[in-house]
Amino acid sequence: MTCIERFNIAADSAQLGLKEIDRLEENKGMLSSCSIAMQNILDAIIPDLNIINFSFSRIDRHSQLTCVSLRPDMIFGLYKLGILFEEPTLNLSQVRPIYDRFSELSKPLKDAFVEEFELSESVRCIVLEFDIGHGKDSFYFLFEDKYNSPVSAYFNILHNLSLYFYKTFNQEELEVLFNVKSLEKYRVNDNEQGVFSPFDSLKERFDLTTIQLNYLKLIALEMDSKNISIITNRSVRTVEAAILELRRKFSVKSKFHLECYLKLHYIRQVNQYLYERTGKVL
């Protein structure tokens, strides 16, 4: 019996997603493999974690999903699971800075996934999510954790690895894998989780427009002007003019100084978020 067959048996509402799974199967070839450079940096920086898979996904405001993965087969299996069981990374109404995806699965579902891919019982799937204004980016880190450390213990290193990805990956290579709009009627908005919006508090303080706030979200991820222009569908010249205006409002000398300010602000907001929910900080 395959992994997805076990998922189907376990789900009362599985029939809702079967057509979407067929459509996902048709587009499977568009799920891109991550470069060997990312594997090398993961092995060099966090060898003790024994990274099994790293994946990046983006859902834009048109509900179009793109994805890059070291193990496309594995993230594809997670998307199948998500179609049937409301995968949070496919839900634009939820953005959380960090969480353990497997801790939210029922034991039978986690056991099925672990068995399908021959993983150990100590495996974890830590997810980092970012509101990018025009959609949501998610990073998945699948690794063995023999010490069962709190999620907050991994934030700094995984956050920095996410920023490294933005610097090295050519976002023009992303291809649309699937349109998840058809799944919206099956989702329930989780108002308790909601969208983590760490930069909203800066809007009034620095007299920012909504467009400028969206630029800030991308600058905080240390994206260059070219990648920002791809996401916002604006010219590089327009993006650079917007960055210059933001530098003026924040009274900083360079884009680098603006990135540093935003990163410190972001970490402070994540600390507050984690403390309110878990009583722990970074």
Side-chain angles (χ1 to χ4, degrees):
M1 184 179 293
T2 67
C3 181
I4 196 63
E5 286 171 340
R6 287 194 290 272
F7 292 155
N8 289 351
I9 290 172
D12 294 331
S13 60
Q15 294 298 320
L16 294 176
L18 293 183
K19 291 182 179 179
E20 280 71 23
I21 287 176
D22 289 341
R23 203 172 311 144
L24 184 63
E25 287 276 9
E26 293 173 2
N27 297 321
K28 187 175 181 179
M30 300 176 78
L31 202 161
S32 305
S33 295
C34 198
S35 70
I36 192 66
M38 195 66 200
Q39 177 70 70
N40 291 339
I41 198 70
L42 289 169
D43 292 341
I45 294 179
I46 44 176
D48 296 339
L49 284 189
N50 187 20
I51 291 287
I52 300 166
N53 191 27
F54 162 80
S55 302
F56 162 82
S57 72
R58 172 173 295 157
I59 299 183
D60 66 18
R61 58 187 174 188
H62 304 296
S63 297
Q64 295 185 124
L65 172 69
T66 56
C67 183
V68 177
S69 182
L70 290 174
R71 288 279 305 274
D73 60 324
M74 193 170 286
I75 195 66
F76 183 72
L78 187 60
Y79 284 147
K80 281 185 174 181
L81 171 66
I83 288 172
L84 298 180
F85 300 97
E86 300 179 2
E87 167 62 28
T89 55
L90 299 180
N91 192 344
L92 277 170
S93 66
Q94 291 185 21
V95 178
R96 291 179 281 173
I98 186 169
Y99 59 96
D100 186 342
R101 179 68 187 98
F102 280 178
S103 70
E104 300 177 351
L105 291 180
S106 66
K107 190 176 187 304
L109 289 176
K110 180 182 177 182
D111 289 346
F113 192 87
V114 166
E115 180 184 345
E116 178 71 11
F117 295 103
E118 300 180 349
L119 305 173
S120 73
E121 291 295 325
S122 61
V123 71
R124 300 183 74 175
C125 182
I126 303 296
V127 179
L128 274 66
E129 296 180 336
F130 299 97
D131 172 16
I132 60 170
H134 298 266
K136 176 173 79 169
D137 284 357
S138 302
F139 290 85
Y140 311 74
F141 297 88
L142 190 71
F143 59 91
E144 291 185 12
D145 180 13
K146 298 178 182 178
Y147 306 105
N148 195 29
S149 302
V151 170
S152 57
Y154 298 109
F155 176 81
N156 286 325
I157 185 65
L158 299 184
H159 180 249
N160 283 322
L161 284 169
S162 301
L163 299 184
Y164 174 83
F165 175 84
Y166 286 122
K167 291 181 182 298
T168 58
F169 184 75
N170 181 5
Q171 299 193 48
E172 290 181 309
E173 296 177 5
L174 289 173
E175 292 188 271
V176 175
L177 171 66
F178 187 61
N179 190 305
V180 298
K181 195 173 183 63
S182 59
L183 301 179
E184 290 178 357
K185 57 187 175 183
Y186 305 140
R187 296 202 195 100
V188 177
N189 289 340
D190 190 340
N191 293 325
E192 183 179 347
Q193 300 291 353
V195 176
F196 175 64
S197 302
F199 302 110
D200 285 358
S201 60
L202 301 178
K203 187 173 183 179
E204 182 175 353
R205 180 179 174 186
F206 291 96
D207 190 27
L208 304 175
T209 66
T210 299
I211 292 175
Q212 288 176 326
L213 190 63
N214 286 336
Y215 277 123
L216 275 190
K217 295 172 182 178
L218 302 177
I219 295 169
L221 296 173
E222 300 181 5
M223 292 188 191
D224 60 23
S225 297
K226 181 181 178 181
N227 278 324
I228 294 175
S229 71
I230 292 170
I231 295 173
T232 59
N233 197 28
R234 297 289 186 269
S235 69
V236 172
R237 180 176 294 183
T238 298
V239 170
E240 290 176 345
I243 293 173
L244 186 63
E245 176 60 16
L246 286 168
R247 284 172 48 197
R248 185 190 67 78
K249 287 193 172 186
F250 280 78
S251 300
V252 294
K253 296 180 179 180
S254 67
K255 179 175 176 288
F256 172 75
H257 288 95
L258 181 57
E259 289 171 352
C260 292
Y261 178 95
L262 295 175
K263 185 175 182 179
L264 290 170
H265 176 83
Y266 181 81
I267 291 174
R268 181 174 179 275
Q269 294 297 309
V270 172
N271 261 321
Q272 182 177 339
Y273 174 94
L274 290 173
Y275 182 76
E276 290 173 354
R277 287 160 179 77
T278 68
K280 295 181 172 62
V281 295
L282 302 176

